[in-house]
Amino acid sequence: MSGVEGDDKEILALPLTDKHGFIRKDEEITEENQPPKGLSADVVLRRERKWLEMIDHWNSYMAGKFDIIKRRCRKGIPDSLRGRVWKHLCGAYFHMHIGKNKNVFDIVSQQSADPKYVDEIVKDLDRQFPEHELFSRQTPYGSRGKEDLFILLKSYTVLHPDDGYCQAQAPIAAVLLMYMPLKDAFYCFVQICHKYLPGYFTRDMEQIKIDGEVLKYIMKAKCPKIHFHMKKHLVEPSMYLIQWFMCVFCRTLPWPSVLRIWDMFFCEGIKVLFKVALVIISETFGNKKALDECPDQGSILMKLKELPKELLSEDVLIKKVLDTNLDEYDLERAHYRIIKNRKLRSDTYA
């Protein structure tokens, strides 16, 4: 009997977590566990069945019914299936089971990495979502979560020794590990670095610089007053965009909003990140009063760090993102002009 009591005490000693695995106080748990507005258990079950049917016929849907996939991603992927769907959306499933790279993880995970990258990764492990049960010192899973995170990041540096390790990669890898096993997370991580954010995690981070200029170009067209206000006070996208884009907003938004953005990001690509950025900027500085309250560079950047909670909530933010008109043509045109201008400047000073 005493043994049972001891076990009960151990169970009771574990910290309380919300439905996403984050350690919360009692009052926060009560609020977090409320079912999403408008989503009954029957609706969730129906959505799960629809997604399971799509997973079973994935190639058919991707080839001829992609609009259905996109529409359902925009509604939100059921949490119980999120990891499986992300793996299919980004192409990781193909590389794990069908393509020529299916043995890559088994090889690189067993190899030693450059000691300087290992040291950098180890220093960052404790900084990745310490309030989540997978990485927290307060739970029995924390050490295993950090071990998996280390293996994933170390393995990527073995795969790409010239690029090495970038700090912004750690939170992305950590999010993936919350929703899937290590090997699955590695292949999804590689897809993000190769397919979704190519050039972001290289030493010169050239692509994120280009995308910052692309955002300026789009802002000039869609919210010119804000664009000129920021230009006047020498606010460059690099001052705020790096954390937003390189971490896919997982360090910026409330968790329910993060998951919805990631669902769409895996389906529609980087366009989603630009739309989120436009919504945040246009809603934060969308009237004269807001601009007048930020008369210099410091106040503008502070405003972008202390974003209004009501804007970032899942219901509000996702609706505004979906209502934002920004298509691939807008991005391609902006990207073409930026590359052309950079080349002209380069040729001028060559």
Side-chain angles (χ1 to χ4, degrees):
M1 185 69 178
S2 60
V4 173
E5 290 177 352
D7 291 343
D8 286 345
K9 288 179 181 178
E10 286 186 13
I11 293 172
L12 292 173
L14 290 175
L16 294 171
T17 62
D18 65 17
K19 61 187 177 183
H20 302 296
F22 288 93
I23 297 170
R24 298 287 191 244
K25 298 177 182 178
D26 289 346
E27 60 272 18
E28 294 173 327
I29 292 290
T30 302
E31 182 179 349
E32 281 283 340
N33 283 345
Q34 294 299 318
K37 293 179 181 178
L39 287 184
S40 65
D42 289 340
V43 171
V44 172
L45 184 59
R46 281 202 302 272
R47 287 189 178 182
E48 287 176 339
R49 287 171 176 166
K50 288 177 180 178
W51 274 105
L52 287 171
E53 194 271 336
M54 286 198 300
I55 291 172
D56 288 341
H57 303 89
W58 190 256
N59 290 338
S60 172
Y61 274 90
M62 287 294 289
K65 304 176 184 177
F66 183 73
D67 284 346
I68 296 177
I69 294 178
K70 182 166 71 173
R71 184 172 70 247
R72 290 177 180 171
C73 284
R74 289 180 171 187
K75 287 183 177 180
I77 300 168
D79 208 50
S80 60
L81 299 173
R82 186 162 264 126
R84 289 177 64 183
V85 175
W86 285 356
K87 187 170 67 170
H88 279 76
L89 284 169
C90 72
Y93 181 88
F94 173 83
H95 289 289
M96 286 182 67
H97 301 287
I98 302 169
K100 62 182 180 180
N101 298 315
K102 58 186 177 181
N103 296 320
V104 166
F105 177 72
D106 297 329
I107 296 171
V108 296
S109 63
Q110 298 301 317
Q111 295 181 12
S112 299
D114 188 317
K116 68 180 179 183
Y117 299 144
V118 170
D119 289 343
E120 292 172 4
I121 292 169
V122 169
K123 289 177 184 177
D124 281 345
L125 293 179
D126 286 337
R127 301 170 185 164
Q128 309 313 316
F129 303 103
E131 70 280 13
H132 192 277
E133 62 181 352
L134 189 62
F135 306 107
S136 173
R137 294 178 179 178
Q138 301 180 51
T139 71
Y141 325 112
S143 58
R144 179 57 187 270
K146 291 175 187 176
E147 180 182 343
D148 284 353
L149 182 59
F150 172 79
I151 293 171
L152 191 160
L153 295 170
K154 183 269 296 184
S155 299
Y156 187 81
T157 68
V158 174
L159 185 64
H160 291 289
D162 291 338
D163 292 338
Y165 167 69
C166 173
Q167 279 190 321
Q169 291 176 314
I172 290 178
V175 174
L176 293 171
L177 287 168
M178 294 177 195
Y179 290 91
M180 61 189 76
L182 170 59
K183 187 172 182 177
D184 298 39
F186 172 80
Y187 280 92
C188 286
F189 180 79
V190 171
Q191 287 296 95
I192 289 175
C193 296
H194 288 188
K195 175 182 173 183
Y196 290 85
L197 302 175
Y200 268 48
F201 305 109
T202 57
R203 293 183 182 180
D204 60 8
M205 297 193 300
E206 182 66 12
Q207 189 57 49
I208 185 71
K209 297 174 185 176
I210 293 173
D211 283 348
E213 294 186 45
V214 170
L215 180 62
K216 273 204 301 186
Y217 180 89
I218 295 172
M219 284 174 58
K220 185 176 181 180
K222 294 189 175 292
C223 42
K225 290 183 180 179
I226 300 173
H227 165 75
F228 287 116
H229 186 76
M230 288 190 171
K231 182 178 180 180
K232 176 183 176 182
H233 297 294
L234 305 178
V235 176
E236 294 293 329
S238 59
M239 297 175 179
Y240 56 87
L241 195 69
I242 288 178
Q243 178 168 292
W244 289 2
F245 277 29
M246 291 186 76
C247 296
V248 196
F249 286 100
C250 72
R251 291 296 197 192
T252 307
L253 303 177
W255 202 250
S257 299
V258 169
L259 296 177
R260 294 289 300 279
I261 295 303
W262 279 52
D263 291 347
M264 293 187 287
F265 171 69
F266 274 118
C267 181
E268 302 178 52
I270 197 170
K271 173 183 72 173
V272 173
L273 305 189
F274 280 99
K275 291 174 74 172
V276 176
L278 281 174
V279 168
I280 290 175
I281 292 168
S282 61
E283 292 294 324
T284 302
F285 302 103
N287 55 63
K288 186 177 184 303
K289 181 175 181 290
L291 292 176
D292 290 343
E293 289 174 348
C294 299
D296 53 44
Q297 184 189 82
S299 57
I300 293 171
L301 293 175
M302 183 60 67
K303 191 86 167 178
L304 288 170
K305 285 184 178 180
E306 299 176 353
L307 298 168
K309 290 184 179 180
E310 59 273 14
L311 168 63
L312 304 184
S313 67
E314 179 184 0
D315 291 343
V316 174
L317 180 65
I318 301 305
K319 183 180 186 306
K320 290 184 180 296
V321 169
L322 292 176
D323 289 342
T324 299
N325 183 24
L326 180 68
D327 58 27
E328 281 80 3
Y329 176 74
D330 294 326
L331 287 177
E332 289 173 5
R333 182 176 59 180
H335 190 267
Y336 172 78
R337 293 204 175 190
I338 297 304
I339 294 296
K340 183 178 179 181
N341 290 340
R342 287 168 70 92
K343 187 176 186 306
L344 286 173
R345 289 198 299 268
S346 176
D347 291 344
T348 300
Y349 293 103

